[in-house]
Amino acid sequence: GRLKVPEGFGERTYNKYARVAYIAQQHLVHLKDAMSNTPLEYIQKRYALGFDSEAPERDARKLTEKEEADRKRLGIMFGKKSKPVQAIVGRREHGRLGAVVESAGAKSFQYRVQWEGLADVDMTWEGRGKLLQCGCEGMVDDYDDKLFEAWAGVDQRPLSTEEVVDHLVPFGLPEDVVRNRKISMLSSGQKIKLMFGAALWTRSHILCLDEPTNFLDVESVDLLAEALSNFKGAFAVVTHNEGFAEKVCSEVWTVTDGQVLGARTRFAKANAKGKAKA
């Protein structure tokens, strides 16, 4: 999502073509509710809505009074069982004859719709035309914008078994582990690899990490440092672990007493990283 900058605290510069990933303070924040899943199932559930459901989200655009009135009025006229659209919770590419496609050129989408007052089993896939008829153009546009922000204009990746396996194998998770092993059975090192691989599903340019060494043992911290050193993009780390910051970062900023102090560039580290990428 896009960060909100409080009034009087500077400005925000936003590049809509930059893909940003996020890792929370410890891997269990992401994995705690998925221990009975395999890594394959975890990735598929985490990105089922088209974007990272565990990343900080921006708030949905609030409907205007007219849009809200149209949603209710037209929903009663054209909605399922005369119910208005409550939320859009998914999107898929769709062909003319009803088959999901991945063809080039102009694309047609269907949207997963939750209807107000109806159970989840009553959710349906609807085309844009149907949703406009129900007075939900603003909701459709907002959902499209959210997916564009997640993928920065590139095609959304399919959550097929083959695609997920091909993504996680380079992170050091063998195919059998990805397909069949429960996350609860993974070693701490494998969980780090899964955490890193899952966050980078969108092939992110920038990775943000919040206190990533908390609750990790020494071996896991070393694995994380190695993963960051091999990461081709940029990353920003918030940490109290000065040794970890010195090990992986080429520039260090200090935040204290509500102020951000000037950057301290570690030139040797920066030059080594630059040569490695050259």
Side-chain angles (χ1 to χ4, degrees):
R2 300 186 188 181
L3 295 176
K4 294 181 179 179
V5 181
E7 186 175 351
F9 284 83
E11 299 178 355
R12 179 195 68 195
T13 300
Y14 175 72
N15 185 333
K16 67 179 182 179
Y17 294 108
R19 294 189 294 279
V20 181
Y22 169 76
I23 294 180
Q25 288 197 19
Q26 54 156 318
H27 61 264
L28 288 181
V29 169
H30 294 302
L31 301 179
K32 65 178 181 179
D33 296 324
M35 289 297 173
S36 62
N37 297 136
T38 64
L40 169 63
E41 292 168 338
Y42 171 65
I43 293 282
Q44 290 174 331
K45 289 182 178 180
R46 179 167 170 172
Y47 288 90
L49 298 180
F51 51 85
D52 189 353
S53 61
E54 296 183 13
E57 290 188 35
R58 67 169 175 83
D59 295 332
R61 182 180 69 82
K62 187 176 181 179
L63 298 180
T64 65
E65 289 185 10
K66 182 180 184 306
E67 287 175 329
E68 178 63 14
D70 286 345
R71 181 189 73 85
K72 291 182 178 180
R73 177 177 59 84
L74 296 174
I76 292 173
M77 296 173 62
F78 302 109
K80 181 175 181 177
K81 299 181 180 179
S82 298
K83 299 293 186 180
V85 173
Q86 178 174 314
I88 296 174
V89 297
R91 189 186 76 175
R92 67 184 183 189
E93 192 176 341
H94 212 69
R96 292 182 180 180
L97 299 179
V100 177
V101 298
E102 298 179 1
S103 58
K107 296 179 180 179
S108 175
F109 296 103
Q110 285 191 327
Y111 299 84
R112 184 74 164 166
V113 177
Q114 186 174 31
W115 299 95
E116 192 172 291
L118 298 183
D120 288 350
V121 295
D122 290 311
M123 289 195 294
T124 58
W125 288 97
E126 306 290 350
R128 182 181 177 89
K130 173 68 173 182
L131 292 172
L132 265 58
Q133 187 182 43
C134 291
C136 296
E137 182 175 8
M139 296 173 70
V140 173
D141 290 343
D142 187 61
Y143 197 86
D144 286 342
D145 287 344
K146 180 179 287 190
L147 289 186
F148 186 93
E149 290 170 13
W151 294 94
V154 302
D155 288 338
Q156 182 179 331
R157 297 177 72 176
L159 288 166
S160 65
T161 298
E162 182 180 5
E163 186 81 6
V164 175
V165 169
D166 287 347
H167 175 74
L168 290 179
V169 165
F171 288 92
L173 294 174
E175 180 174 352
D176 179 64
V177 171
V178 174
R179 285 173 173 265
N180 303 314
R181 189 168 301 177
K182 302 298 184 184
I183 291 175
S184 61
M185 301 300 293
L186 300 183
S187 67
S188 59
Q190 288 174 321
K191 289 176 182 175
I192 290 292
K193 294 171 182 178
L194 175 58
M195 174 186 71
F196 204 76
L200 297 177
W201 173 253
T202 60
R203 299 191 178 103
S204 306
H205 303 114
I206 302 169
L207 178 61
C208 300
L209 303 97
D210 181 11
E211 297 285 3
T213 63
N214 283 5
F215 308 102
L216 297 184
D217 57 32
V218 174
E219 181 183 0
S220 297
V221 171
D222 288 340
L223 285 171
L224 180 59
E226 181 181 358
L228 288 173
S229 298
N230 293 328
F231 180 50
K232 301 298 183 182
F235 59 86
V237 181
V238 176
T239 183
H240 287 87
N241 188 331
E242 186 174 353
F244 180 77
E246 292 288 334
K247 188 173 184 179
V248 302
C249 297
S250 58
E251 186 172 284
V252 178
W253 296 72
T254 302
V255 181
T256 182
D257 297 328
Q259 294 183 327
V260 180
L261 305 183
R264 176 163 52 88
T265 303
R266 302 185 64 233
F267 291 102
K269 183 76 176 179
N271 290 337
K273 192 169 185 179
K275 289 179 181 178
K277 291 185 176 181

